């Protein structure tokens, strides 16, 4: 594990990450205010104050718990990342042993998707059924960075659900509506829901809201899934910068999937 921790620091996946204190503090405040775009489809079970949200994030991520500090730098504790990856690995090994039915999905098609692709390939090789419901199902994603709503659809890349715009471009999304469409399609076909969902952003939040077993990844400025874990609705949330250069995630995948199919992926 020391080797993994060193890599997390060197690749800025944890440690002195690029996510700013302003972003961490502002998004925690937005979550505490109940702003829909920050809930990831997982409405909290209680009212959380900003101080309470930051306390959870300090415990599970390692950021500063001080609600009065809103500027400067912040950190993700790499030891917390490594321990969460261990817990996720235990659940993936269990899924492989049981040959479970699994959905893998990501709202980050240009970063941590590398881990999702490796997880999907490993679980498939281990005999799991990789579910791909509702391909092409439309959903809308708030395009807060564009100032307009994006018309998106569910698309599968290597068995991993992502958000696509008219089949021509893959988009970053926080929307829970893609996962909602996927679960609705399984229900419409009379099929059981998945045994496990491996996801992030709204894909993970909507699955957890539906009562499914969820393991997830989240950045230090995305508190919803960490609050979901604190409330017992998300099994594991791994604190990690979720959008660095994709090749930096390869050692993470190696660590996470060690023993899932007997060899490293």
């Amino acid at each position: 594990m020391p080797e993994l921790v060193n890599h997390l620091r060197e690749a800025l996946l944890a440690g002195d990450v690029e996510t700013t204190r302003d972003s961490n503090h502002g998004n925690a405040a937005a979550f505490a205010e109940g702003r829909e775009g920050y809930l990831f489809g997982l409405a909290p079970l209680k009212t959380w104050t900003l101080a309470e949200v930051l306390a959870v994030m300090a415990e599970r991520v390692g950021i500063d718990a001080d609600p009065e500090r809103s500027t400067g730098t912040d950190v993700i504790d790499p030891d917390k990342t490594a321990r969460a990856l261990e817990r996720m690995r235990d659940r993936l090994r269990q899924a492989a042993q049981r040959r479970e039915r699994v959905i893998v999905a990501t709202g980050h098609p240009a970063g941590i998707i590398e881990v999702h692709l490796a997880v999907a390939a490993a679980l498939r090789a281990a005999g799991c059924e990789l579910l791909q419901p509702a391909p092409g199902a439309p959903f809308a994603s708030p395009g807060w960075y564009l100032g307009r709503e994006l018309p998106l659809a569910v698309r599968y890349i290597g068995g991993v659900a992502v958000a696509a715009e008219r089949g021509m471009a893959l988009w970053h999304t926080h929307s829970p509506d893609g996962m909602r469409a996927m679960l609705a399609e399984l229900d419409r076909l009379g099929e059981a829901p998945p045994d496990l969902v491996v996801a992030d952003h709204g894909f993970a939040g909507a699955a957890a809201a539906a009562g499914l077993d969820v393991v997830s990844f989240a950045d230090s400025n995305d508190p919803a899934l960490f609050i979901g874990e604190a409330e017992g609705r998300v099994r594991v949330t791994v604190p990690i910068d979720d959008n660095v250069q994709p090749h930096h995630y390869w050692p993470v995948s190696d660590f996470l999937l060690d023993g899932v199919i007997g060899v490293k992926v």
Side-chain angles (χ1 to χ4, degrees):
M1 190 180 301
E3 183 178 349
L4 173 66
V5 169
N6 288 338
H7 173 74
L8 293 171
R9 288 188 183 278
E10 291 169 3
L12 302 183
L13 294 168
D16 296 323
V17 294
E18 294 184 356
T19 310
T20 65
R21 177 63 179 180
D22 177 73
S23 183
N24 290 342
H25 187 280
N27 288 10
F31 178 89
E33 292 166 5
R35 291 167 59 184
E36 185 175 357
Y38 296 85
L39 301 182
F40 292 0
L42 187 60
L45 298 178
K46 54 161 274 187
T47 298
W48 290 81
T49 66
L50 172 59
E52 289 172 335
V53 173
L54 289 173
V56 168
M57 298 299 286
E59 175 190 2
R60 296 174 185 270
V61 180
I63 70 170
D64 186 355
D66 184 1
E68 300 301 319
R69 188 171 79 85
S70 60
T71 61
T73 60
D74 223 334
V75 300
I76 294 176
D77 184 337
D79 290 312
K80 294 182 185 296
T81 303
R83 288 195 294 271
L85 285 168
E86 281 189 310
R87 292 189 291 119
M88 183 182 284
R89 182 174 62 186
D90 290 343
R91 183 62 184 90
L92 293 178
R93 286 175 174 173
Q94 185 181 67
Q97 291 165 359
R98 295 175 176 176
R99 297 189 175 183
E100 292 182 337
R101 300 165 69 253
V102 183
I103 284 178
V104 184
T106 181
H108 264 297
I112 202 170
I113 189 173
E114 282 284 357
V115 180
H116 294 83
L117 288 168
V119 168
L123 291 179
R124 180 187 288 159
C128 292
E129 182 181 357
L130 206 60
L131 302 180
Q132 300 179 69
F139 68 98
S141 180
W144 48 267
Y145 38 81
L146 295 176
R148 63 181 174 88
E149 192 173 76
L150 288 171
L152 301 177
V154 176
R155 176 163 286 219
Y156 290 90
I157 306 295
V160 178
V162 294
E165 183 185 15
R166 294 175 294 175
M168 295 187 294
L170 304 183
W171 279 94
H172 171 282
T173 182
H174 287 183
S175 175
D177 289 338
M179 179 60 72
R180 288 169 177 162
M182 293 154 65
L183 298 179
E185 177 71 359
L186 289 175
D187 184 64
R188 186 185 71 81
L189 295 174
E191 297 185 20
D195 301 303
L196 177 66
V197 173
V198 184
D200 56 35
H201 284 183
F203 286 110
L212 303 181
D213 197 359
V214 176
V215 294
S216 65
F217 302 93
D219 208 332
S220 57
N221 61 354
D222 290 333
L225 299 177
F226 294 105
I227 296 297
E229 184 181 24
E231 291 185 337
R233 304 165 75 193
V234 176
R235 179 183 290 263
V236 180
T237 302
V238 175
I240 193 168
D241 190 318
D242 51 17
N243 203 29
V244 303
Q245 287 289 336
H247 68 278
H248 288 309
Y249 295 101
W250 295 346
V252 175
S253 298
D254 285 345
F255 179 86
L256 186 60
L257 297 172
D258 185 18
V260 170
I261 54 173
V263 297
K264 290 186 177 182
V265 175

